[in-house]
Amino acid sequence: MDRRTLITAGLVTLGTAAVARAQPSTEIRDLPPARAVDETAAPRPEAPPPPNSTPSYPAQPPGQVETYTRDEMVQNVSDFMGVTAETAGAAVEKVFARNGRPTAYIAGEEGSGALVFGARYGRGLLYMKGREPVEVYWQGPSAGWDFGGNASRVFTLCYDLENPETLFQRFPGVEGSAYFVGGLGVNYQKAAGVTLAPIRAGVGVRLGANVGYLSYSKKRHILPF
């Protein structure tokens, strides 16, 4: 082999080695299979709500006047009368158990006195959901074995009262039929399909029972009749 042939063979060998070093190496790794997502899987169940210890009362049917819940009335009676929530709750529960949820309520004050024949005068505001408060007066005579006088705050739950105008009429009642819950007196008055349940708390000396009526009006009347 001559010298030229040896030089040519050496150059070819060096070029092949350089190309081999420049070629990138690719390493193929086995990857784990992708985890399939089950779109139909049920969501994780949530914790159950806490038990409700307050009895529920049926709400008003659709399209009728909005009513007040027991909790709303207990809070309002407690704040207005200045009694504990337990005392207010006991009185409200009695009324709710008999009549359900009220459509309105009256918060006011009154004074009364009697010596066989008596009279009662009061003033307050009528509240209904979705309406402005309406000023209300009431007055009425009474007769019976009844002596003394008292001043009191009155919180009256109103049932089946859908229009404030319906309130302005006479409501007969028997004061002697009132019962007492935690120092609060409750009795009922009913007229023309509307039922009122006044809850009273006050000071004074009153002994006996009487019958009579209360007339609700937009203005104060001097005579109770």
Side-chain angles (χ1 to χ4, degrees):
M1 182 179 294
D2 58 8
R3 185 176 181 182
R4 182 179 296 174
T5 301
L6 290 174
I7 294 173
T8 301
L11 291 175
V12 171
T13 302
L14 291 174
T16 302
V19 171
R21 285 195 300 270
Q23 196 73 4
S25 61
T26 302
E27 182 179 1
I28 300 177
R29 298 180 180 177
D30 293 333
L31 299 177
R35 181 177 298 177
V37 178
D38 186 2
E39 296 181 355
T40 63
R44 181 177 299 177
E46 299 180 357
N52 183 10
S53 59
T54 301
S56 60
Y57 299 92
Q60 72 280 1
Q64 292 191 3
V65 178
E66 289 188 77
T67 57
Y68 290 92
T69 66
R70 175 189 178 279
D71 290 342
E72 288 176 316
M73 292 295 91
V74 169
Q75 184 64 49
N76 288 342
V77 171
S78 176
D79 293 342
F80 183 73
M81 297 289 201
V83 298
T84 65
E86 290 77 11
T87 298
V92 169
E93 182 63 32
K94 283 281 189 180
V95 181
F96 266 60
R98 176 172 176 174
N99 300 281
R101 295 183 176 187
T103 55
Y105 68 90
I106 304 170
E109 299 177 341
E110 68 176 23
S112 64
L115 185 60
V116 180
F117 297 100
R120 185 186 302 272
Y121 294 89
R123 172 185 175 274
L125 291 175
L126 170 68
Y127 295 90
M128 297 182 72
K129 287 189 174 181
R131 296 176 180 266
E132 291 293 325
V134 176
E135 191 170 33
V136 176
Y137 295 90
W138 60 91
Q139 52 278 317
S142 64
W145 186 255
D146 191 14
F147 304 91
N150 66 322
S152 59
R153 288 192 171 188
V154 185
F155 193 99
T156 303
L157 279 65
C158 308
Y159 291 90
D160 300 315
L161 181 67
E162 299 184 358
N163 190 319
E165 295 296 325
T166 311
L167 177 68
F168 302 121
Q169 57 177 311
R170 289 181 177 180
F171 286 82
V174 181
E175 188 69 18
S177 68
Y179 57 86
F180 292 87
V181 180
L184 299 179
V186 184
N187 73 318
Y188 292 95
Q189 305 161 351
K190 189 171 183 178
V194 177
T195 300
L196 306 182
I199 302 174
R200 293 184 172 91
V203 295
V205 178
R206 193 75 176 266
L207 178 64
N210 63 66
V211 295
Y213 64 83
L214 285 181
S215 177
Y216 291 81
S217 59
K218 298 179 182 179
K219 297 182 179 180
R220 185 187 302 278
H221 293 169
I222 298 178
L223 296 178
F225 306 101

